């Protein structure tokens, strides 16, 4: 069968009927789909469109077990094949219903290794109406690494993607290394080891001993991809009383993960606290997945584990973007999009970003690259909860930030976003209880978020969300060390008791006297 790299000649485009989209959809995007035929699961993800930070319109997975029994038969599981064909018929119907313009069908380890793979692919092509890309192990690794590039801000380290049939490893930095593939997928390793975790450990260690990947930099971050490893992270989060339930960019030391994996492999998982966080269909593979994780971290001598919700499918989309589009900041793209969809005036949100950038610089508030990104993102998101009752805007905003599918942001960064607008709505008084998520941020990050919130509270009283107002306000330091905000005479009637009180609060956060002058 043909093993090609480019999708340009292997996808079938279907005419997209003109339909009226709801206001919650970006009007410029056309739906695009990826069907991923794996050794254990078959999944279709329909994205809103080809973009740096695509939102998911529809996502469905069926655990077909195509690779079950392949160690002994070298053939795709018959029951799994039937279930796959049934799922693919449904996926095609769903794609047509959602007016998908392009569907990319990819297949991985089980299909490329099975002796009846060619016949299977012919049937898949007939059912879906699309040609199927059977990825080599190296291609699979590369696309998974592109998923990491799509989902993290300047990632550096080694990515590992565990599926049902194989484990792919590849170095990730500005440039990608050569990928390697190992027969250490959950289903395959379970069968190779006869269900013995001790034997699985020996097999994993023997295969990983041959891996000679070099870390691309000083940081030894291991980016973990795949449903089994995400389930491990969910279980760890549930046992830690962590303030976020998000798996993406969940970080822990390699030593802590290795200890946890050892515990998983030597105890009854079904009786563990927090096991309800893991899908029942994933639980059987948790122990063998833990064995592979532990042996991988040991062999690579990793320092930290960073969990990823993005991988192969997102890498496929990322590969189709232009170099210019790939260079866009995925966090800021997503936040601008959400501002477009939910803010009263997105242009005003952009003005907030511009004004606060100048203000932080004027006041000498030092910002790292991530601080700057997080402040800018907070500005784009500052008005997304305006439709809620004023008493509940803070809570609604917190719910969005805690659960939104943002990528390219750490959990500490997400805490910054949450605090900046939580305090904007609740105020900054001593009686205001900090949100639980604040514990993920350092004291310095918490302080910067509070200062930004204090600026929001001042600026919104002058602008009332209308563009063209706050750009007229200037901020400077005076000779006595205080801060002066100047307002033009033409709009000086916007002064009042409430703005004066908010300006005083800003001074409290800055630790200096802030005054308002008319010019």
């Amino acid at each position: 069968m043909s093993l090609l790299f480019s999708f340009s000649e292997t996808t079938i485009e279907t005419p997209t009927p003109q339909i009226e989209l709801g206001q919650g959809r970006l009007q410029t995007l056309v739906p695009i789909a990826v069907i991923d035929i794996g050794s254990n699961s078959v999944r279709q993800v329909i994205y809103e469109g080809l973009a740096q930070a695509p939102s998911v319109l529809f996502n469905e997975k069926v655990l077909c077990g195509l690779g079950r029994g392949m160690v002994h038969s070298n053939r795709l599981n018959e029951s799994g094949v039937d279930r796959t064909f049934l799922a693919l018929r449904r996926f095609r119907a769903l794609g047509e219903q959602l007016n998908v313009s392009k569907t990319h069908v990819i297949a991985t380890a089980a299909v490329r290794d099975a002796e009846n793979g060619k016949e299977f692919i012919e049937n898949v092509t007939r059912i879906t109406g699309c040609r199927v890309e059977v990825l080599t192990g190296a291609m699979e690794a590369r696309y998974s690494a592109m998923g990491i590039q799509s989902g993290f801000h300047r990632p550096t380290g080694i990515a590992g993607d565990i599926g049902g049939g194989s484990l792919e490893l590849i170095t990730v930095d500005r440039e990608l290394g050569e990928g390697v593939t190992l027969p250490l997928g959950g289903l395959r390793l379970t069968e190779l080891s006869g269900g013995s975790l001790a034997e699985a450990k020996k097999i994993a260690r023997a295969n990983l001993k041959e891996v000679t990947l070099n870390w691309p930099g000083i940081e030894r971050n291991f980016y973990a991809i795949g449903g089994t490893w995400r389930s491990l992270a969910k279980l760890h989060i549930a046992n830690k009383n962590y303030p976020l339930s998000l798996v993406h960019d969940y970080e822990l030391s390699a030593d802590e993960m290795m200890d946890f994996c050892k515990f998983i492999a030597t105890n009854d998982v079904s009786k563990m606290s927090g096991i309800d966080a893991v899908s029942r269909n994933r639980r059987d593979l948790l122990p063998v997945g833990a064995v592979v994780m532990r042996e991988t971290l040991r062999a690579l001598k990793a320092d930290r584990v960073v969990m990823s919700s993005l991988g192969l499918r997102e890498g496929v989309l990322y590969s189709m973007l232009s170099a210019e589009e790939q260079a866009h900041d995925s966090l800021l793209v997503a936040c601008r999009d959400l501002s477009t969809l939910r803010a009263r005036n997105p242009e005003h949100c952009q003005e907030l970003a511009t004004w606060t950038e100048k203000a932080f610089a004027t006041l000498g508030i030092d910002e790292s690259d991530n601080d700057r990104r997080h402040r800018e993102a907070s500005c784009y998101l500052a008005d997304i909860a305006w439709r809620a009752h004023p008493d509940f805007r803070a809570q609604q905003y917190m719910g969005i930030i805690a659960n939104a599918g943002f990528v390219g942001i750490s959990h500490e960064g997400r805490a910054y976003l949450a605090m900046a607008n939580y305090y904007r709505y609740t105020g900054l008084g001593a009686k205001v209880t900090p949100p639980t998520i604040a514990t993920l941020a350092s004291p310095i990050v918490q302080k910067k978020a509070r200062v930004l919130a204090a600026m929001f509270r001042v600026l919104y009283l002058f602008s009332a969300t209308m563009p063209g107002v706050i750009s007229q306000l200037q901020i400077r330091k005076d000779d006595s060390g205080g801060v002066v905000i100047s307002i033009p005479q033409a709009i000086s009637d916007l002064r009042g008791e409430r703005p004066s009180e908010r300006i005083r609060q800003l001074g409290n956060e800055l630790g200096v006297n802030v005054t308002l002058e008319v010019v």
Side-chain angles (χ1 to χ4, degrees):
M1 65 189 72
S2 174
L3 300 178
L4 303 177
F5 186 76
S6 170
F7 284 94
S8 60
E9 298 179 357
T10 57
T11 48
I12 294 177
E13 300 186 26
T14 56
T16 304
Q18 294 297 315
I19 59 171
E20 184 176 348
L21 299 179
Q23 292 185 356
R25 293 272 296 276
L26 293 169
Q27 306 296 311
T28 58
L29 297 180
V30 180
I32 187 171
V34 177
I35 295 177
D36 178 4
I37 302 174
S39 301
N40 191 32
S41 64
V42 176
R43 184 190 295 266
Q44 174 174 247
V45 184
I46 300 176
Y47 300 91
E48 189 175 17
L50 181 60
Q52 169 63 299
S55 294
V56 174
L57 287 178
F58 195 87
N59 184 347
E60 184 166 296
K61 172 191 69 180
V62 180
L63 291 173
C64 296
L66 275 174
R68 195 174 299 279
M70 266 192 64
V71 167
H72 306 293
S73 70
N74 201 34
R75 294 179 62 83
L76 296 172
N77 183 277
E78 289 187 12
S79 174
V81 168
D82 291 341
R83 295 186 68 190
T84 298
F85 291 163
L86 183 64
L88 292 176
R89 290 187 181 95
R90 171 172 162 77
F91 290 169
R92 179 170 183 170
L94 286 168
E96 292 171 351
Q97 188 166 295
L98 284 166
N99 297 293
V100 168
S101 61
K102 296 181 182 179
T103 297
H104 304 277
V105 185
I106 55 177
T108 55
V111 176
R112 69 173 172 255
D113 294 339
E115 64 180 34
N116 60 336
K118 183 177 180 180
E119 177 187 352
F120 174 82
I121 290 302
E122 290 171 352
N123 283 312
V124 171
T125 300
R126 176 179 51 79
I127 292 170
T128 62
C130 301
R131 296 185 182 92
V132 182
E133 281 298 324
V134 183
L135 304 180
T136 66
M139 292 161 61
E140 192 174 346
R142 186 169 182 83
Y143 282 125
S144 294
M146 287 184 174
I148 294 298
Q149 288 181 318
S150 173
F152 293 86
H153 185 61
R154 297 175 182 170
T156 180
I158 294 176
D161 186 352
I162 190 170
S166 61
L167 167 68
E168 278 68 45
L169 298 170
I170 185 171
T171 56
V172 179
D173 203 49
R174 294 193 177 187
E175 299 294 330
L176 301 180
E178 292 297 322
V180 298
T181 185
L182 303 171
L184 300 179
L187 278 179
R188 179 176 291 184
L189 186 55
T190 298
E191 294 179 2
L192 285 172
S193 64
S196 166
L197 292 181
E199 185 62 24
K201 177 180 175 180
K202 291 179 183 178
I203 296 170
R205 184 167 294 188
N207 277 272
L208 287 160
K209 187 178 180 180
E210 305 301 319
V211 174
T212 56
L213 292 179
N214 295 316
W215 294 95
I218 297 174
E219 298 180 15
R220 296 190 167 207
N221 299 315
F222 180 72
Y223 296 91
I225 308 166
T228 300
W229 282 350
R230 285 195 297 273
S231 294
L232 279 178
K234 289 179 181 179
L235 193 53
H236 191 270
I237 288 171
N239 276 269
K240 196 177 179 180
N241 196 27
Y242 193 71
L244 278 179
S245 58
L246 289 169
V247 169
H248 188 74
D249 217 333
Y250 179 61
E251 293 188 29
L252 65 163
S253 72
D255 287 342
E256 185 177 358
M257 177 57 95
M258 289 173 72
D259 288 344
F260 185 68
C261 288
K262 183 177 180 180
F263 183 85
I264 293 289
T266 55
N267 287 272
D268 186 349
V269 173
S270 66
K271 296 179 180 178
M272 284 190 64
S273 173
I275 190 61
D276 287 342
V278 178
S279 164
R280 291 185 180 276
N281 292 325
R282 291 283 187 192
R283 294 177 191 178
D284 288 345
L285 292 179
L286 277 176
V288 72
V291 167
V292 177
M293 171 68 83
R294 193 166 191 270
E295 290 303 313
T296 301
L297 297 177
R298 173 187 169 277
L300 296 176
K301 297 181 173 61
D303 291 333
R304 293 198 66 73
V305 179
V306 185
M307 304 305 304
S308 177
S309 293
L310 277 65
L312 180 65
R313 293 175 294 276
E314 291 74 22
V316 167
L317 292 190
Y318 185 79
S319 73
M320 291 186 283
L321 297 173
S322 68
E324 181 182 358
E325 290 170 321
Q326 289 181 355
H328 291 164
D329 189 312
S330 56
L331 170 66
L332 299 182
V333 168
C335 291
R336 283 194 202 100
D337 286 347
L338 193 54
S339 176
T340 297
L341 294 172
R342 301 191 66 165
R344 281 171 284 191
N345 199 308
E347 184 181 347
H348 177 265
C349 297
Q350 179 62 62
E351 288 184 354
L352 283 177
T354 302
W355 197 93
T356 56
E357 180 178 16
K358 293 178 180 177
F360 271 50
T362 298
L363 299 174
I365 301 173
D366 184 52
E367 288 189 291
S368 67
D369 176 54
N370 276 326
D371 287 338
R372 177 196 58 77
R373 298 173 63 244
H374 300 156
R375 175 185 46 75
E376 188 174 344
S378 298
C379 293
Y380 297 143
L381 300 175
D383 203 40
I384 60 173
W386 72 272
R387 285 189 179 275
H389 187 281
D391 291 347
F392 303 105
R393 284 176 185 163
Q395 292 93 321
Q396 185 179 77
Y397 184 87
M398 290 294 294
I400 294 171
I401 297 305
N403 298 292
F406 299 138
V407 296
I409 184 171
S410 66
H411 285 196
E412 181 179 52
R414 200 176 282 257
Y416 184 118
L417 268 59
M419 288 184 290
N421 282 291
Y422 173 82
Y423 288 125
R424 177 204 157 190
Y425 290 121
T426 63
L428 295 148
K431 294 183 179 180
V432 175
T433 303
T436 306
I437 195 176
T439 60
L440 298 179
S442 69
I444 269 187
V445 167
Q446 292 187 42
K447 184 61 179 176
K448 289 175 182 175
R450 287 179 63 92
V451 168
L452 183 60
M455 290 181 179
F456 285 165
R457 288 173 65 76
V458 170
L459 296 173
Y460 268 92
L461 285 188
F462 284 104
S463 70
T465 75
M466 293 305 293
V469 178
I470 62 176
S471 58
Q472 299 182 59
L473 304 177
Q474 302 298 318
I475 187 169
R476 61 180 173 84
K477 286 184 175 180
D478 63 21
D479 294 337
S480 65
V483 173
V484 178
I485 296 176
S486 59
I487 181 172
Q489 180 69 47
I491 58 171
S492 61
D493 285 347
L494 292 172
R495 292 173 299 163
E497 291 184 9
R498 291 198 71 204
S500 294
E501 175 58 22
R502 296 285 178 84
I503 287 171
R504 185 191 65 77
Q505 292 174 358
L506 174 59
N508 289 341
E509 290 302 317
L510 293 173
V512 298
N513 184 48
V514 181
T515 58
L516 181 68
E517 69 172 10
V518 178
V519 295

